[in-house]
Every structure is written in C-alpha cells, then in structure tokens.
Amino acid sequence: MIDQNDEIIEEASALLQRAILHYQGEPIGTVAACDPNVEAPNYDECFIRDFIPSALVFLMDGDYKIIRNFLVTVLKLRSQQVVMEGHQRATGLLPASFKVVRDAHGNETLQADFGDRAIGRVAPVDSALWWMILLHVYCISSDDHELAHSEEFQQAIRQILDLYLKESFETSPAMLVPDASFMIDRRMGVYGHPLEIQALFYGMLMTAQEMLLPNEENAKILDMVRKRTQTLRSYVRIYYWLDVPKLNEIHRLKTEEFGHEARNVLNIHPEIIPDWVDGWLSPRSGYLVGNLGAGRMDFRFFSFGNLLSIIFGLATPEESHKIMNLFEEHWDQLIGDMPVKIVYPAAEGERWAWVTGNDPKNAPWSYHNGGNWPSLIWAFVSAAITCGRADLAERAYVVAAQRLPADHWPEYYDGRKGSLIGRRANYNQVWSASALIISHRLLKTPENLLRFQTMMFNGV
Ligand code: GLC
C-alpha cells in the first residue's frame, strides 16, 4: 500500500507547494488552508503550529531556506505585539499567526496576531515552544548552527526562557496556562496544566539546553533549565500517569490530608473518577491524563499530548508502549475512520455546556470536542514507530490515505468513529496534507525515521 501511494503524495505535495506564503519574493511559511470558501477569515495566515508539519516535510527534502526565513521572520514580528495599558511587553511571547498584507501599489507588509484578533482572544502559549523545537530541528538537519548561536537568537532563546520559567503562582513544576492557549484554541476546559503544553514545554527545555552556548551569560538560565527539565519529567511521570494499578490507588485515596507527608497532594476525591474509565484500561494499557490541579484530574485522553510525550521521551519507554497498546485496544474509538481522535470521550449534555461554554462548533464528537484530526497522523506514526509499532503506524496511514484526497483534505472529521467530514471543516487544510506526507516518508524510508529522530532529539 505504501509503495502504491505516489500519486496521493504528489497531490498532497502540490497542495503544500500552493500553500507557500511569499514575502518580498521569499518563501516564509505556509497558509493554513487553500480553500476559497473558507469560513474563518484567518485561514490565509501562517499559523506557527500549523507550519510545523509543513516544516518537517521541507526539512526532509533539504529545503532549508523557507524554514530559516520563517524562524527569522517570527522573531522580528515580536515588535508588533500590542501591549495592553498597564502591562509590559513580553518579549518571549511569539505570535499565533501572521499574514502578508498587500496595498493597492503592491507594497507588502507583515501583520502578526498575538491572539488579539483571534476568536476568544487567546494568547498562543504553544508558539514559542514550537518555534524553539523547530529551530533545533533546523540547526541539526541543515548543519546551520550559526543561526542559533548568533547573538540575536541566543538573546531570543533567553527571553523565551525568562518568560516560560518566570515564577507566577506555581505550586508544581508543570506550567500553568489559560484555556485555549494551544492547538485546542477554544474553551474546552483545558486551563491549568494541560498535558499538551507540558509535553511541548519539556521538548522546548530539552532543545534549549542543546542550543544555549555554555558561557557565563547563559550559566544561570542553563542551570534552571536543567533542573526544571528533571522536575517536570518526574512530576508528569508520577502524577499524570494512569494505568490499572494507579487507578486502584486513586480509587482508594484518602483525602483532606494536611502537611508534607500527604500522599494525595492534590486532594483528588476518588468520586471524580468517571464511569467510563473502569474497564477502558486493560493491564496492558495506560496513558497520561489530560490535566491536573487542585482537586482536579481530567481523565480525558488527549491524543496529541500523549503522542508528543512519547516523541520527546517525557513518557518512559514502558509507558509509551502502554499508550500504543491503548490505541490498539480502542482502535475504533481513537483511530476509527480517520486518525486521530483529538480527545476521548467528548463532553456531552450539561457537561458540554459548562466545559465549552455552549459552543456549537465544539458540539459532542465534533471539532475539538472529540473530532478526528488528520493533522495528528504524523505524531501518531512517529510515536508508533518510535515504540517499534510500525504495524500500527501503517494501519493508521492506510486509513487516512484512503480518504483524505477523495475528501479534499478536510481540516477535521465528526462522529464517534470520525466517519463524517467536519460540519464546518475547511477543505485543502494544509497540515492535513503535510501530516500525511511525513507519515508516508517515515514509513517508506526507514532512514527518514532515523534522521527525523536525530533531528528532533539529537543528543538530548
Ligand atoms: C483552528 C485550530 C488551530 C489551528 C487553526 C488554523 O483554530 O483549532 O489549532 O492552528 O485552526 O488551522
């Protein structure tokens, strides 16, 4: 099947090429969707997170110029951040997206959005995390270490770290963020310490260590980065992990414990365990829960956070295998007719109303609330191959490749099994196509995987 897919991949590559955004004649990114009938007005912008799968394709092809331009451009755009009255500029914050504006005379300018124009006005916490990870992958892959080592980039790395390591109201090594500050950029009850942000934060800390030059100026921040990497890793592995023994432990937890000897440090009441969890886990499976906080354990299974935890090595090898077993055991629910279910299960009924704020776009089993997102295939395929489960990677790839071109590369799918094209999905969504291309390359040429892994996590 993989070998007979050249036409599909050519079609996906043509979409990716069409999506390239130029500024003053230079390629600087890719637009989110090439759909003239698109509903949202900002899909002609380059989103930092959407560019990641496109960037991985360009890197695999040795097409480095667009990545370098993107990395430089995004840094420059920081000066456009609108600072609210009474606030200071956060130099470590990077935009969610940017676009090229052309006036009547053909003059071009770049316009960035830091969430100030986005629906719900959300600040993109994940942008700088992805930017740092991409910078590392770019440097390793292209051998252009000078870019990260330049004074401008060293300063930017420090500024990002200053912001992300800044003390606020933390009581754990996990990072505290508002709802909707990452791929799930609408209210979905993902405020606090969502897994996806912790996985990206971990990946970013690991890569920053690799890129910061070991000089006097960086000594203090490097020391903080190293310690935070370790405490974050231990914390996630201990407190986010859920399998049958852990579920039993939580089921019998004592509450209202005071002081340093407490075992139930977050005062989780066992009564919050949802009915569906018992029986969903087998002795072979497990996963990292979606979110943690005081009296709060979000048992929902968020695919991307789990897959990134495998890819970045935040999950242990044993945990990673158990996560893959979970996908295998619940194939219909988590992969179904289109990889990959973004979150399981969907919030329904009254729970939907208070989790999403009555958001009709996030109706049960749609969009962020249990929809299926082809853009996540690359992460599934990479994680599966990393765990020695190329069989699962290929199975998921085949499901996606059979439908995506015929359906015109939709943004997302609806339904418990993901068999319906998303009600309000765009067509020609670029990261749906680039995610399939990466998966194909990884499966077809095993050296690509090796190169990809080296690129992502070389030496870390
Ligand atoms: C939606 C998605 C977001 C993505 C954007 C552009 O808002 O939720 O993750 O970056 O579309 O595709």
Side-chain angles (χ1 to χ4, degrees), residues 195-239:
L195 177 66
E196 184 175 322
I197 285 289
Q198 310 317 319
L200 283 173
F201 185 32
Y202 182 75
M204 179 275 243
L205 291 174
M206 299 276 276
T207 49
Q209 282 176 57
E210 290 287 298
M211 294 186 295
L212 272 177
L213 290 167
N215 56 30
E216 219 182 294
E217 199 172 6
N218 293 337
K220 190 165 167 238
I221 197 110
L222 258 172
D223 187 45
M224 280 176 76
V225 170
R226 285 198 190 105
K227 287 185 178 138
R228 187 69 176 266
T229 311
Q230 285 162 10
T231 53
L232 176 66
R233 182 172 50 213
S234 309
Y235 185 81
V236 170
R237 287 179 177 181
I238 295 172
Y239 294 102

Side-chain angles (χ1 to χ4, degrees), residues 44 46 75 79 116 124 160 185 202 219-220 263 277 279 295 322 353 380:
D44 59 349
C46 175
L75 266 201
S79 61
D116 42 306
I160 291 170
D185 57 0
Y202 182 75
K220 190 165 167 238
R263 278 187 65 219
V277 179
K322 287 187 152 186
F380 181 80

Side-chain angles (χ1 to χ4, degrees), residues 32 43 47 49-50 182-183 185 367-368 373 411 429 431:
Y43 278 90
F47 284 74
R49 72 177 73 88
D50 293 43
F182 52 104
M183 178 187 175
D185 57 0
Y367 203 46
H368 298 141
W373 287 68
E411 179 188 16
Q429 187 78 17
W431 64 356

Side-chain angles (χ1 to χ4, degrees), residues 223-386:
D223 187 45
M224 280 176 76
V225 170
R226 285 198 190 105
K227 287 185 178 138
R228 187 69 176 266
T229 311
Q230 285 162 10
T231 53
L232 176 66
R233 182 172 50 213
S234 309
Y235 185 81
V236 170
R237 287 179 177 181
I238 295 172
Y239 294 102
Y240 282 68
W241 181 248
L242 188 73
D243 56 9
V244 172
K246 190 71 180 292
L247 184 64
N248 271 282
E249 210 180 289
I250 298 169
H251 180 63
R252 291 171 54 83
L253 275 179
K254 278 208 200 98
T255 56
E256 310 301 323
E257 296 171 306
F258 184 78
H260 294 297
E261 305 308 317
R263 278 187 65 219
N264 186 0
V265 287
L266 294 171
N267 201 35
I268 306 284
H269 297 282
E271 291 77 8
I272 63 166
I273 301 174
D275 285 348
W276 60 268
V277 179
D278 176 38
W280 202 62
L281 285 168
S282 79
R284 293 175 66 235
S285 66
Y287 65 97
L288 296 162
V289 296
N291 206 340
L292 269 185
R296 174 156 191 243
M297 185 176 254
D298 187 339
F299 287 84
R300 285 177 294 173
F301 175 74
F302 287 85
S303 295
F304 204 25
N306 274 279
L307 296 171
L308 291 176
S309 299
I310 296 175
I311 295 173
F312 295 140
L314 178 56
T316 65
E318 198 199 341
E319 288 170 356
S320 303
H321 278 102
K322 287 187 152 186
I323 296 169
M324 277 300 145
N325 290 342
L326 188 85
F327 274 105
E328 188 178 28
E329 287 174 5
H330 296 292
W331 192 259
D332 275 358
Q333 289 169 339
L334 301 179
I335 301 291
D337 289 338
M338 179 52 66
V340 179
K341 179 72 71 194
I342 192 167
V343 57
Y344 179 89
E348 299 184 80
E350 258 180 46
R351 202 176 130 71
W352 161 78
W354 62 257
V355 165
T356 69
N358 289 63
D359 183 351
K361 193 162 178 182
N362 272 338
W365 307 107
S366 183
Y367 203 46
H368 298 141
N369 186 16
N372 290 35
W373 287 68
S375 57
L376 301 181
I377 305 168
W378 76 267
F380 181 80
V381 167
S382 318
I385 301 180
T386 304

